[in-house]
Amino acid sequence: MSSPRTSDVLVIGGGIIGLVTAWRAAQRGFATTVVDPAPGGGAAQVAAGMLAAVTELHFGEQTLLGLNLASARRYPDFVAELTELTGHDLGYRRCGTLAVALDTDDRAHLRELHALQRQSGLESEWLSGRECRRLEPMLAPGVRGGLRVDGDHQVDPRRLAGALLAACERAGVVFRRAWAERLSVVGERATGVVTRDGTALGAGQVVLAGGSLSGRLAGVPQDVLPPVRPVKGQVLRLTVPQRYAPFLSRTVRAVVRGSQVYLVPRENGELVVGATSEELGWDTTVTAGGVYELLRDAHELVPGITELPLTETRAGLRPGSPDNAPLLGPTGLAGLLLATGHYRNGVLLTPVTGDALAHALATGELPDEARPFAPRRFAAAALSELPA
Ligand SMILES: Cc1cc2nc3c(=O)[nH]c(=O)nc-3n(C[C@H](O)[C@H](O)[C@H](O)COP(=O)(O)OP(=O)(O)OC[C@H]3O[C@@H](n4cnc5c(N)ncnc54)[C@H](O)[C@@H]3O)c2cc1C
């Protein structure tokens, strides 16, 4: 079936990654459509919004670090542009982060992370437990030491999604509130999608930005289908009453019994506590166990949280990829690009993804900083594993 060409660029998925792609594409003059039954939803409704290039550094992820840092550097201008255009306050807070250790094992792990950060040229300062508590008096007396990282900030992902929606609307992006059922392929080229109600939407180029569902779109050839999986995260939202403010002045995080826990204080009094990491398919049930573990670990870090009203519990799905890094740009199928697999850094990577995809849509090439994240890295790995 041939599709009528109704737009230059059709983006499947209106999460923050699809929206930033659509906005930047429209700014470049492409007639752009987003297909999503509920644009502005997705994982950003759950995410904490840490912009944590330094404290999220993991061994073996130095390539991703380059992209994370490139995006972190763009954040101030990105927020200023979006705010000026839409009038939305994104809750961008340049507050820094304190990563602390509660026992000797955690302390040793944090020391190693500090060494890796310094080898990578990152700014991060080791503090004693007493120095940590001087910065954040609500911390538990048992804190053994920590890393002060003044460059890891935060944004409110819900506000970011709202601002991106408004920016897209202003730039003339068309929204189709529908489910894309199947990619249309004619010859060797992606030509659009067919929605669940059978409507064919044509496009010169299609960007698949379906978050954790990106690997499930029918019609995408097997060797091009992104290897993306859902990684569930449960998150709590508490409120800091005025009489306790400022409860925390920066993001505080730790590894407690092998699990990550963080507390992200917003300027409006919201305190986000996250997050579990569970491989359970597309399940988004909030469980008693998940809430219990988060509260238990957060309480060990900051005992005073038990006084705060618990206002929301929610679970979302991170789009995980085999190397924890995103898949960006052209695929082996002409006319199909990917913007997916952002896993635990999708909020941080929003600015650089928008720029990289707009560049790829206009030129067919990724900009230098995004080249290591071309989807073909997985196709090549799969081919080399085939028996001779
Ligand atoms: C608990 C948790 C905490 C997090 N914390 C942070 C953090 O602190 N910092 C950070 O940087 N990142 C964080 N993240 C990660 C970040 O939220 C995600 O990487 C990012 O939101 C992914 O955005 P996305 O647009 O790619 O996908 P999604 O948000 O999943 O959006 C995909 C959209 O595509 C739509 N869609 C899918 N398939 C189709 C289809 N066939 N047709 C039409 N529409 C379709 C869906 O409806 C959805 O709206 C966190 C995530 C979670 C879950």
Side-chain angles (χ1 to χ4, degrees):
M1 180 174 59
S2 75
S3 316
R5 177 173 291 208
T6 54
S7 41
D8 299 324
V9 173
L10 186 144
V11 180
I12 303 169
I16 48 176
I17 296 301
L19 290 176
V20 76
T21 301
W23 176 42
R24 291 305 196 197
Q27 282 182 321
R28 293 233 182 182
F30 291 111
T32 305
T33 299
V34 171
V35 194
D36 191 323
Q45 295 302 316
V46 182
M50 293 180 293
L51 307 175
V54 179
T55 44
E56 279 286 332
L57 176 61
H58 286 63
F59 288 95
E61 292 186 5
Q62 279 89 338
T63 311
L64 177 59
L65 172 68
L67 194 70
N68 286 345
L69 288 173
S71 208
R73 278 193 295 272
R74 278 170 219 207
Y75 243 97
D77 288 347
F78 176 76
V79 168
E81 186 184 355
L82 262 180
T83 303
E84 196 181 319
L85 206 66
T86 65
H88 288 220
D89 171 2
L90 275 68
Y92 178 54
R93 192 172 177 197
R94 295 172 67 85
C95 57
T97 297
L98 185 64
V100 301
L102 285 168
D103 61 27
T104 38
D105 283 355
D106 294 346
R107 195 166 179 273
H109 169 76
L110 215 51
R111 282 280 193 198
E112 283 173 17
L113 186 63
H114 189 216
L116 179 65
Q117 289 168 343
R118 292 175 64 118
Q119 272 165 30
S120 310
L122 303 171
E123 278 183 34
S124 141
E125 184 190 356
W126 182 263
L127 302 182
S128 67
R130 185 172 296 172
E131 287 167 328
C132 290
R133 281 190 299 282
R134 203 173 297 141
L135 274 186
E136 295 297 342
M138 297 305 284
L139 279 174
V143 164
R144 297 285 180 103
L147 290 176
R148 176 178 175 163
V149 177
D150 287 342
D152 276 1
H153 304 307
Q154 59 154 305
V155 73
D156 185 333
R158 292 177 177 174
R159 293 179 181 213
L160 171 64
L164 285 170
L165 261 183
C168 282
E169 276 159 8
R170 276 172 185 254
V173 172
V174 173
F175 285 94
R176 289 278 188 159
R177 286 176 164 73
W179 197 254
E181 194 70 36
R182 154 174 294 275
L183 183 75
S184 307
V185 179
V186 176
E188 299 287 301
R189 189 175 180 89
T191 57
V193 297
V194 178
T195 61
R196 191 158 282 176
D197 66 4
T199 307
L201 302 173
Q205 300 186 77
V206 178
V207 180
L208 177 51
S212 60
L213 286 158
S214 300
R216 307 245 303 186
L217 185 67
V220 180
Q222 198 58 40
D223 57 338
V224 171
L225 209 55
V228 172
R229 68 184 199 285
V231 181
K232 176 179 171 183
Q234 302 189 46
V235 165
L236 316 175
R237 282 176 165 79
L238 296 87
T239 305
V240 178
Q242 202 50 46
R243 65 182 183 281
Y244 291 137
F247 189 76
L248 295 173
S249 62
R250 73 202 69 223
T251 297
V252 169
R253 56 187 303 166
V255 178
V256 181
R257 284 179 289 270
S259 301
Q260 292 273 354
V261 64
Y262 50 73
L263 294 89
V264 182
R266 304 241 194 271
E267 236 145 31
N268 64 5
E270 184 177 85
L271 181 69
V272 184
V273 176
T276 65
S277 185
E278 304 162 72
E279 304 261 359
L280 289 171
W282 280 272
D283 170 66
T284 52
T285 314
V286 174
T287 62
V291 174
Y292 165 71
E293 279 168 28
L294 287 173
L295 284 176
R296 180 196 62 197
D297 295 351
H299 173 254
E300 268 189 49
L301 264 189
V302 179
I305 62 152
T306 49
E307 301 297 320
L308 307 181
L310 174 62
T311 39
E312 193 185 318
T313 58
R314 202 151 165 182
L317 301 170
R318 307 171 184 91
S321 77
D323 60 3
N324 299 337
L327 292 88
L328 304 175
T331 63
L333 178 67
L336 180 69
L337 295 87
L338 299 182
T340 190
H342 291 71
Y343 191 37
R344 54 176 196 265
N345 289 310
V347 181
L348 170 61
L349 290 171
T350 296
V352 81
T353 299
D355 293 347
L357 265 290
H359 186 94
L361 286 163
T363 66
E365 304 278 341
L366 282 169
D368 285 347
E369 73 268 13
R371 286 219 173 111
F373 307 97
R376 289 193 178 106
R377 70 188 188 276
F378 294 118
L383 282 177
S384 68
E385 279 164 20
L386 285 177

